[in-house]
Each structure stands twice: as C-alpha cells, then as structure tokens.
Amino acid sequence: AQSVTQLGSHVSVSEGALVLLRCNYSSSVPPYLFWYVQYPNQGLQLLLKYTSAATLVKGINGFEAEFKKSETSFHLTKPSAHMSDAAEYFCAVSSTEGTYKYIFGTGTRLKVLA
Amino acid sequence: ETGVTQSPTHLIKTRGQQVTLRCSSQSGHNTVSWYQQALGQGPQFIFQYYREEENGRGNFPPRFSGLQFPNYSSELNVNALELDDSALYLCASGETGTGFVGYTFGSGTRLTVV
C-alpha cells in the first residue's frame, strides 16, 4: 500500500524567502513521485516528477525537489518566493507498474506575504 | 498536443438524479483516470481506463461508472446522486508503461448536488 503525508496544511513565507513544502511517502515498491500545483478553481499542473532517474529534480517556475530514499521524503523547495507562487500544492505517489494510479497528500496551501 | 479538456465546467444537480461528465484526453494517451476532489481535500482516485478497459478502481460505489472511447474521449457517470457527491471531478490522461512521465489533468468539472 502507498500513502503520502504532507506536513503543514498551511505555510506562509515572505516574498523573496525560501519555500519548503514537505512530503513524506510510504510505499512497499519503488515509487514514482510528483508535485502538482493548483490555483483556485483550476485543475492540477505538474511542477516536477521523480521517475527513478536523478534524485534531484528540477521543475517549472524555479521549483526543485530531492528524492531521499533513506528518509522517504520528496520535499519541494524554491530559493525565492514570488507572489504568484501562492496556491495549493499536492504531492502524489504512484507505483512504477500496474495502474500507475496516484495517491495524493492532503495538500499544502502556500501564502506569500508582501 | 491539445491537453485535456473537460465539460461542463460547472453543474448543479438534484439529489437522486444522474449525471454524465465528459473528458477529451490528450491524443496518443492510452490511459484516462478520474479523481474526485472534495473541498479542502486532495484528489481521490475513482477509477482508470487503459485502452478502453477498466483496469483499476478506488473505494467508490458501483453507482460511479465510466467509459473510454477509441477517440480519446471518456465519460464519468454517477447515478442516484447524493449530497456528498458535490466535488470537483478531475480527468487525467497519460501514457502508462515504460517511460511513464505522469498524468496531465484537465481543469475539472465542479458538481454541486442540492
């Protein structure tokens, strides 16, 4: 069975500050991991993905994440927050075979303060 | 690539009615999945179709059913609507198998059951 835990349902940072959104996973098989962003009343946009290549993954809009197997983590970071980063962020895990269905975390709402 | 499009964008139905939501997947994608996202929660996997056959189902009752068509379109049908079915319904498509790089999501259909 797979599961995802996102610590912190709400995170606030100042504009220009480091963004760190936490994601821990549980999986009995090697996982694929994803971060998606959701703006109000919209669908999910893929930020980045780990599909068993490089453990440090760079995505769109300056975001990156590092897959740490020993810590079962896939935290999302961005060196400098921008006002446009304010949104809901979801971490998801899938298996590397079979249905590839996603198990999502409960989400983290990022607020960027001016 | 034309992305994933869903229709309608919003829908209001009465408890006990039936509803059909539609999705047009990205051309070439062999898999379409449907997710339910209740307010303030992460998306929950409903079911998935691979080459027009259901190949995975989440913890949803049989009154949730679907179809995938050869022209990359798909449907989600919900019978005997309940108030708790009010949610954002997301369609996602992807090319599963070796080289899986994640799903592309549509903007969703907001269903309100009154």
Side-chain angles (χ1 to χ4, degrees), chain A residues 47-67:
Chain A
L47 279 176
L48 48 76
K49 57 186 179 285
Y50 167 75
T51 53
S52 62
T55 57
L56 181 61
V57 180
K58 294 187 184 298
I60 63 172
N61 302 336
F63 285 94
E64 64 179 39
E66 186 172 8
F67 173 70

Side-chain angles (χ1 to χ4, degrees), chain B:
Chain B
E1 296 185 351
T2 56
V4 178
T5 56
Q6 293 186 241
S7 62
T9 55
H10 295 81
L11 200 54
I12 299 175
K13 288 287 190 177
T14 302
R15 188 173 52 182
Q17 285 188 315
Q18 179 267 342
V19 68
T20 297
L21 309 182
R22 293 182 170 82
C23 173
S24 178
S25 304
Q26 195 160 307
S27 179
H29 284 177
N30 58 17
T31 300
V32 64
S33 306
W34 286 89
Y35 290 81
Q36 181 195 65
Q37 186 179 17
L39 202 59
Q41 298 183 24
Q44 299 291 316
F45 176 73
I46 302 175
F47 50 59
Q48 179 170 290
Y49 282 79
Y50 173 76
R51 294 180 176 173
E52 303 162 45
E53 296 286 332
E54 184 179 302
N55 77 332
R57 189 174 185 91
N59 189 26
F60 282 81
R63 59 189 185 84
F64 285 79
S65 64
L67 287 170
Q68 183 187 23
F69 303 102
N71 64 351
Y72 301 109
S73 66
S74 61
E75 291 180 352
L76 164 64
N77 299 289
V78 187
N79 293 321
L81 284 166
E82 301 177 359
L83 296 180
D84 285 349
D85 296 333
S86 295
L88 181 67
Y89 288 85
L90 295 164
C91 172
S93 74
E95 187 71 15
T96 57
T98 304
F100 175 64
V101 294
Y103 292 108
T104 301
F105 282 81
S107 297
T109 293
R110 172 76 62 187
L111 173 65
T112 302
V113 182
V114 297

